[in-house]
Amino acid sequence: MTAISHRARAITAAAVTAVAVLLSCGLLAPHAHAVAERAISPGHTIRYITPGGASTCTLAFAFTARGHTYGVTAGHCVADAGGYVVDVISGYRGSVVSFDYDPTRRGNDFALIHFGQAPVAASLLGAAVDAVTAPAADRPICHTGVSSGTSCGQLSGQYGVAQYLTTRLNDVPGDSGGPVWTRYGIDDIAIVGIWLGSHIDHDGTTYGRFYPLDHALTQLRADTTAR
């Protein structure tokens, strides 16, 4: 069972194009770390606040479209209804536009958050985020989470409907929703996915799981025309 809004389904691919334009403009400032602390940025701690309590996740990606700021995280981070999101580092508050979460943990798992007109820092770990790409089997792949920090390993293969498995990437509660990335060029970063957690295979082997970010953006097609 999934829960993606009709509004998100109805929007054209313009928002995904806007993301590509945004990244190509090179929003990274010289003092990237300081800028990221004052803006919505990949790798930030987010708290989902509901009447029943609060949970912690990590933000995978952030972008602007038509003057509004959006963040992407895992769908299971916001699956409880009636909540709102706070970017802990910058202090900005956001609302959930739409999400899709397959409770079998083999399918879609992504969410779109609207942060109003908050500033965005297209950087992660002090490096510019210059591309959103599909996973590459021949490159080391890394993950950044608010609980475990950054770890790197390898892509293992596809899992379920559209997810991917990894080896040697750490997973601690709170890491969910964070950026899965690889190096792009010499100094920059390409975000390839949204961290979902761990998967234990039938033989006892533990893998990491992520959902490809480009697939999530295509399906979400951020609702910018109605704002």
Side-chain angles (χ1 to χ4, degrees):
M1 180 180 296
T2 60
I4 190 166
S5 71
H6 293 295
R7 177 186 294 176
R9 292 182 187 278
I11 305 304
T12 66
V16 178
T17 302
V19 172
V21 172
L22 171 71
L23 295 175
S24 69
C25 290
L27 292 184
L28 183 68
H31 304 290
H33 183 69
V35 171
E37 288 184 348
R38 298 192 300 269
I40 307 298
S41 183
H44 275 193
T45 304
I46 55 173
R47 295 277 287 168
Y48 186 56
I49 315 295
T50 68
S55 58
T56 299
C57 279
T58 309
L59 196 67
F61 187 60
F63 64 97
T64 59
R66 301 197 179 192
H68 289 261
T69 295
Y70 299 91
V72 179
T73 191
H76 70 262
C77 289
V78 300
D80 292 335
Y84 62 91
V85 177
V86 174
D87 182 308
V88 174
I89 296 177
S90 69
Y92 288 102
R93 176 169 166 167
S95 59
V96 178
V97 175
S98 59
F99 72 92
D100 198 347
Y101 170 48
D102 178 0
T104 69
R105 300 186 179 184
R106 297 176 65 89
N108 290 348
D109 196 342
F110 49 80
L112 185 71
I113 305 164
H114 179 229
F115 285 102
Q117 294 180 315
V120 171
S123 63
L124 176 65
L125 302 176
V129 176
D130 277 350
V132 177
T133 63
D138 59 345
R139 295 183 185 177
I141 196 166
C142 302
H143 160 248
T144 298
V146 300
S147 298
S148 67
T150 297
S151 56
C152 296
Q154 297 290 330
L155 187 68
S156 177
Q158 194 164 347
Y159 173 71
V161 178
Q163 296 181 22
Y164 288 85
L165 298 179
T166 63
T167 58
R168 301 197 305 277
L169 270 66
N170 297 332
D171 178 52
V172 178
D175 288 346
S176 288
V180 179
W181 54 272
T182 187
R183 287 292 176 184
Y184 180 75
I186 298 175
D187 299 317
D188 299 341
I189 280 175
I191 297 180
V192 301
I194 305 164
W195 186 254
L196 303 180
S198 298
H199 165 72
I200 301 177
D201 211 353
H202 58 84
D203 62 358
T205 303
T206 299
Y207 297 92
R209 292 184 300 120
F210 72 90
Y211 192 89
L213 179 60
D214 59 344
H215 287 194
L217 290 172
T218 298
Q219 293 182 68
L220 286 169
R221 294 182 179 178
D223 183 0
T224 60
T225 60
R227 298 187 185 280

